[in-house]
Amino acid sequence: MEVKRKILAVTFLFLLFCNLLAAQNYDESKVPAYTLPEILLSNNDQKITTAKAWEDIRRPEIISLFEENVYGIMPKKYDAISFKIKRESPKAMDGKANLKEVEILVTNDLQSDTINLVLFTPSDIKKPVPVFLLINNRSPRNTSATRDTISEFWPAEQVINAGYAVAAFHYSDAAPDNKNTFQDGVLRLYPEQLKKDNGMKAVGAWAWAASRVMDYFENDKSIDASKVVVVGHSRGGKASLWAAAQDQRFAMCVTNCSGNTGAALSHRRYGETIERINTTFPHWFNNNYKKFNNKEQALPLDQHMLIATIAPRPVYITNASEDLWADPKGTFLAAKESEKVYELYKLKSSLPKNLPPINTPSLQPPLAYHIREGIHDLTAYDWQQFIKTADLYFNK
Ligand code: GTR
């Protein structure tokens, strides 16, 4: 009896292991044949040939496809918002920057949530400056206000030296990244979302919080709110894309190594899959998204369409050479597919035809891309390129 149980247990573990291996494909020849949903064909088969038709018809359709099937509907209304400067230091970074620590308090239906913002602006500015805003999904130490930790994940000194303001908030202020506690943030304000299959979850809440920071920027005279770049890495990069898609006040989006349900094409089933992401992180996307576990072909959308909703505003997309989990090729292909929408705005993409070599950035807006040598991360090298593209775009 005991032996039989052991055999059963070993067989079970072996099958589980095979299953896990089989689920993740890293072999280009095993990418299934797929047809991407047409970006430029409306739900009632109308061909979209102008920027106006895109904005009036197709873009709203695509936004609702993503709301319904992936990220959930983002609530836009709240009762009140207030900004409190908790600390200000005009002599931060050896006198090079002004530091503000701002408490953004949002209330709705007697519930509230606080987003804590760290903001450095260059000291010597004569007019409002553009700003890079990071949705920090790693340790809060990365975005230290005291600069007791200096990290490449948020190289604030480097951004200040380039003449930009630099800001960050920690994503857990908006939604803890945990399947049992993600409700304990922004979703306290919108409890009805939790009952709906198309309700907002964690990624939606992180993007929502970026928009509240945008509300603050519109009230800070040192910031040029028409030049805000929203930046996110990985799961933060999924949120930065969704934030820029939802909120057209963001002038530019950076999505760094964002992978599955970020900037990579799901239909390819290369690296992380929808089933895998929904199983490991059930609190990120809405309930409807689970219907597409192992059913990528049935998706009425793919991530190239999300990138396209940000047009004509620039998007900077990245990968890392060792980060196959995030499917660099599928990410680059998604960027290429979105070019058609930029063309409607007469914006010519300067992306190369095929995935460029490692460390060869294509910086010219509207679509910028690089694949950096190394692992899944956000580094000083990455930031250096984002700054160059922002310089080109803002004519600095
Ligand atoms: C991974 C996840 C990715 C990505 C990454 C990260 O575990 O599978 O989709 O979001 O985490 O955020 O670093």
Side-chain angles (χ1 to χ4, degrees), residues 137-138 233-235 238 260 272 277 281 284 325 376:
N137 59 296
R138 292 252 180 109
H233 164 67
S234 203
R235 62 198 74 187
K238 306 180 207 294
N260 188 275
E272 187 170 31
I277 208 168
F281 308 104
W284 282 3
W325 184 244
H376 180 71

Side-chain angles (χ1 to χ4, degrees), residues 40 46-59 340-341 343-346:
L40 294 181
Q46 185 185 333
K47 263 207 149 313
I48 303 298
T49 54
T50 63
K52 182 162 175 6
W54 166 256
E55 284 176 14
D56 292 350
I57 303 166
R58 191 57 178 150
R59 184 179 186 278
K340 340 182 151 122
V341 174
E343 274 161 26
L344 295 178
Y345 290 93
K346 313 264 178 284

Side-chain angles (χ1 to χ4, degrees), residues 155-226:
E157 286 72 8
Q158 183 185 338
V159 183
I160 287 291
N161 289 338
Y164 291 83
V166 60
F169 70 92
H170 197 258
Y171 74 152
S172 62
D173 285 354
D177 194 358
N178 178 300
K179 69 177 190 307
N180 300 315
T181 56
F182 72 96
Q183 310 88 333
D184 198 13
V186 172
L187 281 156
R188 281 196 302 259
L189 280 57
Y190 307 108
E192 73 287 352
Q193 294 295 316
L194 297 167
K195 300 197 195 98
K196 301 180 187 168
D197 288 338
N198 64 0
M200 173 172 95
K201 290 206 181 181
V203 172
W206 303 334
W208 182 96
S211 284
R212 301 297 70 80
V213 175
M214 186 72 200
D215 296 342
Y216 167 75
F217 286 149
E218 292 186 323
N219 284 276
D220 185 323
K221 291 201 167 52
S222 60
I223 299 297
D224 182 344
S226 70

